[in-house]
Structures are given as structure tokens and as C-alpha cells.
Amino acid sequence: MKDVSYYLELNYPVVINLLPDHQFCAEIKLIPGLCAYGATMPAALEELERVKVAAFTLMLKQGKTIPLPTVHLEIPIDTFKELPQREQIEQFIVV
């Protein structure tokens, strides 16, 4: 089993929204409920890092699976058909 430092080094996509009360919400949508708030974007991101450490530590302690970040690519079909590794990549295609 991987430890918390492994997951903390991964680059999870973060979404930041400005809320009606002028607070910022930084959220890792891949992990439901993993969000943090701040008066500025940097403050929300800094708080998200603290929350992420606590959440990942708790999830591992409880034996829960921490989802790994994924990459979303959009490749024109003609370009994809010409890729030398196309057959290896096809198993990961989501339509």
C-alpha cells in the first residue's frame, strides 16, 4: 500500500470558484467533499493543501481507495489513427 506522501506528490486537478459571499472555494472534484475556502485564491489553495493531507491520511487509515488523477486529452481522429502506439492507447478511450 502506498503512503500519504505518494498521493500528495500527484497533481490533482483543482477547480476554484468565487462564491456569492466573495469567498473562494478550491475543490478536487475527483474526491467528493475535498474542498477548502479562503478570502483569496492563494488562501483557498493553501487551505486545500492542509485539507488534502488530513483527508488522504484519514482515507488510508480507513482503508479507502484514493482515486488517482487522470489526464483528459482531445486528439483529432485523423491524428489518433496515425499514432504508432494507437493500439496500446485504445483501451483507455472513453466515448
Side-chain angles (χ1 to χ4, degrees):
M1 178 181 258
K2 295 178 172 61
D3 66 0
V4 72
S5 63
Y6 169 81
Y7 294 99
L8 293 173
E9 291 178 17
L10 299 175
N11 291 317
Y12 285 87
V14 174
V15 175
I16 302 174
N17 290 304
L18 179 61
L19 303 175
D21 64 355
H22 303 288
Q23 289 282 313
F24 288 90
C25 175
E27 179 179 15
I28 297 176
K29 292 203 176 261
L30 184 60
I31 303 171
L34 187 51
C35 61
Y37 302 89
T40 64
M41 276 193 233
L45 288 170
E46 188 175 310
E47 182 63 19
L48 182 64
E49 287 305 309
R50 285 192 285 273
V51 170
K52 189 165 64 169
V53 171
F56 286 177
T57 301
L58 182 61
M59 290 172 77
L60 289 173
K61 191 179 222 181
Q62 294 176 341
K64 293 184 179 178
T65 301
I66 298 175
L68 297 175
T70 57
V71 176
H72 174 86
L73 299 174
E74 292 187 17
I75 303 171
I77 192 71
D78 290 339
T79 303
F80 178 76
K81 287 178 180 177
E82 294 175 12
L83 291 175
Q85 302 89 359
R86 187 189 80 220
E87 291 178 5
Q88 295 171 331
I89 298 171
E90 283 179 330
Q91 63 181 321
F92 300 105
I93 293 178
V94 177
V95 181

